């Protein structure tokens, strides 16, 4: 199973950190997960929340090999650019 490593940023500005975070959370589109929120308070007293989101969809890939190591290496070679390998399931 693989998942993209590509992320996007969202921002929101409010009078306090809790509200800024809530405004960012409201912007997260369906099919995405909120990974991180960083709050900053530059001059002016307003809180700026910057969030990092990533698509939550996963993709199944398969590979064969003469033994576990060969199959694992073949599977790793099939991971698309911009994706990470989440798990390996061995089927006999």
């Amino acid at each position: 199973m693989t998942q993209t490593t590509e992320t996007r940023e969202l921002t929101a500005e409010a009078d306090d950190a809790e509200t800024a975070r809530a405004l960012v959370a409201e912007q997260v589109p369906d099919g995405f997960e909120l990974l991180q929120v960083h709050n900053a308070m530059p001059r002016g007293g307003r809180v700026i929340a910057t969030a990092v989101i990533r698509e939550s969809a996963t993709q199944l890939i398969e590979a064969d090999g003469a033994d576990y190591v060969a199959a694992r290496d073949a599977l790793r070679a099939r991971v698309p650019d911009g994706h990470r390998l989440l798990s390996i399931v061995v089927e006999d």
Side-chain angles (χ1 to χ4, degrees), residues 13-84:
E13 186 175 329
D15 291 327
D16 60 81
E18 185 177 330
T19 303
R21 181 180 173 87
L23 290 171
V24 164
E26 289 175 6
Q27 295 180 54
V28 177
D30 288 340
F32 281 77
E33 59 186 332
L34 183 62
L35 300 177
Q36 173 183 336
V37 178
H38 174 75
N39 292 327
M41 186 180 261
R43 283 180 264 167
R46 302 268 295 166
V47 175
I48 299 173
T50 303
V52 177
I53 62 171
R54 177 180 54 221
E55 192 173 350
S56 57
T58 58
Q59 175 184 353
L60 294 176
I61 58 173
E62 295 182 5
D64 294 318
D67 57 21
Y68 174 79
V69 172
R72 180 200 63 204
D73 292 347
L75 183 68
R76 286 181 175 162
R78 296 198 64 208
V79 174
D81 287 341
H83 281 72
R84 63 189 180 128

Side-chain angles (χ1 to χ4, degrees), residues 4-17:
T4 185
T5 58
E6 296 177 24
T7 61
R8 297 183 194 176
E9 284 191 358
L10 303 173
T11 60
E13 186 175 329
D15 291 327
D16 60 81

